[in-house]
Amino acid sequence: MSTSATPSRPAVAEEEPFVLFHERHSARIYTLNRPSKLNALSHGMVQLLHKQIRAWDDSELCKVIIGTGKGQFCAGGDVAQITTQIQDSSTRDRAVEFFRDEFMLDFHLSQLQKPYVVIMDGFTMGGGVGLSMHAPFRIATERTMFAMPETDIGYFTDVGATHFLAHLDGQLGTYLGLSSKRIQGREVFECGIATHYVHSRNIPLLLERLSRLEEANHSVIDETIDEFYEHRTPGASGDVAPYLVGDVRNAIDQAFRPRDPNQIIENLDALSGGIPIHNSAVLDDGKSKVSTTDGQDRDTSVEVPGEKGSVSASYKAASSKPAVSVAVETWAKETATALRERSPTSICITREAIFQAKEMTLKAAFEMEMGLAQAFCTDEMLAHDFVEGVQAKLIDKGKKGPPKWRPSTIRQVDMNAMREVVHSASSLTVPPTVTKAQDEEKTKKSTKAMPFSSSSSSNSSSTSAKYLPEGFVLEAVASGDGGGAKGEDVRVAFGLPTEDAIRKIVMEMSKEKGKPRGKGEEKGESSSESEGEGETVGEGEGKTSQKEGEAVEGLVDREAKGSGDAMTALGVGRTTTATRAADPREKIVESIMRAYKGKPGVRERVYEVLERKCVERKAGNGSGLEWRE
């Protein structure tokens, strides 16, 4: 029997799915696999992830869940597709459904029973931040590029960002959310965004170690990751010098404290001109409270600053202070320029959302964000900037000029209206149960044209929806109030100590030494030399004993060699064994090091905070530290 030869055809490579799922020993690993789009999340990817992660969390064979990406981790959601859907009345509901499913996934990640580890290698932005920030273990590498770039494209910081940005140290989160500033490499760890730092060359070995853990509880995983830590080496390839430290870091807290973005801009303009602002505290009603040289606070009764083109009284009162540093002036100019390029509406919505989220549970913040996302998809004014920003920045890539925002400046935005938008979004509820007949009627209506909801004016907007989208259910682990407290607790459990944690220890130790002193209580000192509640901790009777000194040495020895170089790179003075006993900071460092079990990076972190937030004062026979707000 003869056969005829059939011409061979070139094999067509089967396209890989956008998310890959792996089993490696007791670990379950997902890999975002859309490298041509920097692993931007599509709706299908979100649904695949949620289904599989839920199954893994319920599996007895799974001990740890790990998130990774091919080439990069994740540069965000596929906003180009979303804004296309927003512009078509027949597909607008799909855009809302994307945000609904994405937020449900992100909140679920905060509630996982199994340990969850995310490798933030490469771009980790927007939707990628949502996949990572709710994990108890967030690993930065020298390649990590973190940002919440939403105000740059006419949107707002979502995926739970209003909550976690509100709970970063000081006003760091407000700064990152409004400016869309990118943070790179180790600084993502040092700022408290990541919980660990591991060089990318060691990630494969770390994954193998994690997958082979016999007892993969949170403490064991934390210690395992810490074993791969490498100290900062000045000048080393990929180890970028820290930027958000010292004077610049203090300036962030000072400039971004106001609730009103107009006042933030004025603060930045003042710093740009060398005018210090650290003596003023801006009140929520738009007025300024200035600590004058006599130590008394007075209300300057300045309305929204700069309305008449003049410098507010708060800056005039502070103008006697020494000029700001060149680094701060440069930072302020760059930041003011960046904010003026962002969507004014997005700036105002984001600032207000972060402000309100400070007092919310994570669950409540997600519900508020869902209401806002729905508004950005259905409200004409909000949708305009979103569509315009994505088109100009991501599709045209600036070739046709900058986005044409409406309104074009922050001063043209009605802040009362923006606050109402945020308040309304946080007041939406889950829709009532829909009958089958009602559901069929809704389906018929959905096929008709759906115009945007119109705003009452060009400067104001309100959310048109009365309810959150159907099917939007956030499943919180029982935690007393049902507010998703589990996610809030684990997010800060394994990283570096926060400023608030350090401050509490400083204050507690000051109480042990006797009555803490406030500013101006020491003989011959002017109250203008320190700010806030001046609380002092010192050696007093107790200079550090030899035993205590040895304890400190032992803890330091647990860290890798070179921590002194690391502190030098952070701008922190290096100490020796001989000087530690005379250094009031050392007792605080010792206490915190013990509390954190010698965790790598803690020593440098605490020294940087103490150097920036404390001033040394005499205390009895020795010296002590005074915390300045």
Side-chain angles (χ1 to χ4, degrees):
M1 180 176 180
S2 63
T3 60
S4 59
T6 304
S8 62
R9 296 179 181 179
V12 178
E14 184 177 345
E15 186 176 340
E16 288 188 324
F18 287 161
V19 186
L20 304 176
F21 299 104
H22 313 277
E23 295 183 6
R24 184 185 296 183
H25 306 296
S26 62
R28 300 295 180 266
I29 304 171
Y30 71 77
T31 301
L32 304 180
N33 186 40
R34 201 184 182 190
S36 64
K37 297 287 187 179
L38 300 178
N39 293 331
L41 294 173
S42 66
H43 197 174
M45 293 169 71
V46 168
Q47 292 172 321
L48 282 173
L49 281 166
H50 203 171
K51 180 180 179 181
Q52 186 60 64
I53 288 173
R54 184 186 295 275
W56 283 343
D57 201 34
D58 292 337
S59 171
E60 294 183 0
L61 298 177
C62 171
K63 302 299 182 184
V64 58
I65 298 172
I66 302 174
T68 66
K70 186 174 182 179
Q72 311 287 334
F73 179 57
C74 176
D78 192 345
V79 290
Q81 181 181 41
I82 293 168
T83 51
T84 297
Q85 292 170 339
I86 288 174
Q87 297 175 76
D88 187 336
S89 61
S90 66
T91 59
R92 195 168 297 144
D93 279 351
R94 297 181 194 172
V96 176
E97 290 167 1
F98 169 84
F99 290 119
R100 177 198 67 189
D101 291 349
E102 182 185 31
F103 296 175
M104 288 170 62
L105 165 63
D106 293 339
F107 184 76
H108 186 200
L109 294 175
S110 76
Q111 304 293 302
L112 293 177
Q113 301 301 303
K114 302 292 170 60
Y116 176 41
V117 180
V118 176
I119 311 299
M120 301 164 62
D121 189 35
F123 286 119
T124 305
M125 302 179 180
V129 174
L131 294 179
S132 57
M133 275 307 294
H134 307 294
F137 305 106
R138 307 178 296 275
I139 301 174
T141 75
E142 81 288 354
R143 298 179 63 247
T144 299
M145 186 68 75
F146 172 94
M148 288 301 295
E150 284 73 16
T151 60
D152 196 35
I153 58 170
Y155 188 52
F156 77 101
T157 53
D158 61 352
V159 297
T162 58
H163 190 271
F164 67 71
L165 290 176
H167 289 83
L168 290 178
D169 288 336
Q171 297 300 326
L172 179 61
T174 304
Y175 163 63
L176 295 176
L178 298 192
S179 68
S180 301
K181 173 70 177 178
R182 294 183 177 189
I183 306 181
Q184 184 176 349
R186 188 187 296 268
E187 196 156 27
V188 179
F189 165 66
E190 293 170 342
C191 285
I193 296 169
T195 59
H196 298 77
Y197 177 81
V198 176
H199 197 283
S200 60
R201 65 173 175 271
N202 293 324
I203 293 298
L205 180 58
L206 171 63
L207 294 179
E208 183 64 20
R209 283 282 303 278
L210 291 175
S211 69
R212 290 183 177 275
L213 289 176
E214 294 182 4
E215 186 180 2
N217 60 48
H218 285 78
S219 295
V220 170
I221 290 173
D222 180 39
E223 293 171 2
T224 300
I225 302 172
D226 276 343
E227 291 177 16
F228 290 83
Y229 180 81
E230 295 179 11
H231 281 283
R232 180 185 291 279
T233 303
S237 176
D239 222 347
V240 180
Y243 179 60
L244 303 179
V245 294
D247 290 346
V248 170
R249 181 64 188 82
N250 283 336
I252 289 172
D253 288 349
Q254 296 153 9
F256 281 83
R257 182 175 178 180
R259 184 178 185 179
D260 189 332
N262 288 290
Q263 294 175 335
I264 293 175
I265 291 288
E266 186 173 336
N267 284 348
L268 293 169
D269 287 343
L271 290 173
S272 298
I275 303 175
I277 61 169
H278 61 271
N279 219 26
S280 67
V282 182
L283 306 176
D284 290 345
D285 60 5
K287 299 179 181 180
S288 296
K289 181 180 70 176
V290 176
S291 299
T292 58
T293 53
D294 60 2
Q296 301 297 315
D297 290 334
R298 62 182 177 84
D299 189 347
T300 62
S301 297
V302 177
E303 296 303 326
V304 177
E307 286 294 338
K308 298 180 180 180
S310 61
V311 178
S312 72
S314 64
Y315 305 123
K316 293 178 181 177
S319 61
S320 60
K321 290 285 184 179
V324 299
S325 69
V326 173
V328 169
E329 283 192 34
T330 301
W331 166 82
K333 290 176 183 176
E334 293 174 351
T335 305
T337 298
L339 261 59
R340 287 187 169 100
E341 293 174 350
R342 307 295 181 251
S343 161
T345 300
S346 295
I347 288 282
C348 295
I349 290 286
T350 297
R351 178 64 189 109
E352 184 62 23
I354 292 174
F355 181 87
Q356 293 194 25
K358 182 74 172 178
E359 304 302 323
M360 293 180 177
T361 63
L362 179 61
K363 181 173 183 287
F366 264 114
E367 291 170 343
M368 173 188 69
E369 290 179 2
M370 186 65 254
L372 287 174
Q374 191 168 226
F376 270 83
C377 292
T378 58
D379 181 274
E380 184 176 10
M381 186 195 73
L382 298 179
H384 170 272
D385 273 16
F386 191 15
V387 172
E388 176 71 14
V390 171
Q391 182 69 42
K393 293 280 187 172
L394 302 182
I395 298 176
D396 296 338
K397 299 186 184 299
K399 294 177 182 178
K400 296 182 181 180
K404 295 178 177 61
W405 308 123
R406 291 199 320 228
S408 59
T409 68
I410 293 176
R411 293 205 180 282
Q412 294 174 323
V413 179
D414 184 340
M415 271 307 300
N416 289 330
M418 295 301 99
R419 290 180 182 181
E420 179 57 31
V421 169
V422 177
H423 175 73
S424 297
S426 63
S427 303
L428 300 181
T429 58
V430 177
T433 304
V434 179
T435 65
K436 183 177 181 181
Q438 289 172 326
D439 188 50
E440 290 175 351
E441 181 64 22
K442 179 185 175 183
T443 302
K444 292 178 182 179
K445 290 181 178 180
S446 67
T447 61
K448 300 178 181 179
M450 286 179 9
F452 279 112
S453 61
S454 59
S455 304
S456 58
S457 73
S458 61
N459 291 341
S460 64
S461 175
S462 60
T463 53
S464 58
K466 294 182 180 180
Y467 303 109
L468 294 169
E470 285 189 38
F472 183 67
V473 179
L474 301 179
E475 301 175 13
V477 172
S479 56
D481 64 354
K486 177 181 183 295
E488 297 165 29
D489 293 339
V490 299
R491 197 171 67 219
V492 298
F494 301 101
L496 296 177
T498 64
E499 280 186 13
D500 188 54
I502 296 171
R503 179 184 182 277
K504 287 178 180 177
I505 291 178
V506 170
M507 299 309 177
E508 186 62 32
M509 293 182 70
S510 70
K511 291 177 183 178
E512 294 175 0
K513 293 296 180 182
K515 182 182 177 181
R517 289 178 312 217
K519 60 181 179 182
E521 291 188 15
E522 296 187 49
K523 185 177 179 180
E525 287 187 4
S526 168
S527 61
S528 64
E529 292 179 359
S530 61
E531 299 172 19
E533 303 176 355
E535 305 264 6
T536 306
V537 55
E539 321 143 40
E541 324 164 339
K543 291 187 177 180
T544 306
S545 67
Q546 181 179 356
K547 184 176 181 180
E548 290 171 330
E550 291 172 352
V552 174
E553 283 295 323
L555 287 167
V556 174
D557 288 343
R558 290 180 60 181
E559 296 191 81
K561 184 179 179 181
S563 62
D565 290 336
M567 288 191 291
T568 301
L570 283 166
V572 177
R574 185 174 181 175
T575 61
T576 64
T577 305
T579 61
R580 281 175 184 154
D583 188 347
R585 299 177 299 176
E586 198 58 42
K587 291 184 69 67
I588 299 170
V589 173
E590 174 192 346
S591 177
I592 297 174
M593 288 283 285
R594 282 177 172 165
Y596 283 77
K597 301 180 180 179
K599 179 179 177 67
V602 169
R603 184 176 184 81
E604 295 93 327
R605 162 66 172 169
V606 177
Y607 263 106
E608 191 279 322
V609 171
L610 295 181
E611 189 121 331
R612 176 163 48 84
K613 301 293 290 186
C614 295
V615 62
E616 192 168 341
R617 300 295 189 199
K618 290 183 179 179
N621 297 325
S623 61
L625 295 180
E626 183 179 277
W627 186 277
R628 298 185 300 178
E629 297 297 342

